[in-house]
Amino acid sequence: MKTTNLLWVLSLVTLGICTVTLAGASLFRIGLPDMITRGIGLLDLVALPILAYTTVKRLKDKHGL
């Protein structure tokens, strides 16, 4: 249960930081290099399935399914 919660929190924080970084750069018209934008996108793609898996696992553990 602790590992699931830790992975859930880390993936949520990762997605939040990536989103704020990309949105902030776009909002302030800061041109990020292409490799940084792609790297952030890859982090998003890695963190999203982890978040989905741990969310489902937490819900199953909570409801005893």
Side-chain angles (χ1 to χ4, degrees):
M1 186 75 166
K2 279 192 165 196
T3 304
T4 304
N5 286 339
L6 180 64
L7 284 174
W8 185 77
V9 167
L10 288 176
S11 62
L12 193 61
V13 168
T14 302
L15 285 171
I17 290 171
C18 291
T19 302
V20 167
T21 302
L22 290 175
S26 178
L27 182 67
F28 293 117
R29 307 266 191 236
I30 298 171
L32 292 176
D34 190 46
M35 289 303 291
I36 291 178
T37 304
R38 290 176 189 265
I40 292 172
L42 284 175
L43 280 174
D44 277 340
L45 288 175
V46 169
L48 192 59
I50 295 171
L51 180 68
Y53 173 77
T54 54
T55 300
V56 170
K57 187 160 177 60
R58 288 181 67 194
L59 288 173
K60 282 185 176 181
D61 289 345
K62 183 178 179 181
H63 294 294
L65 297 176

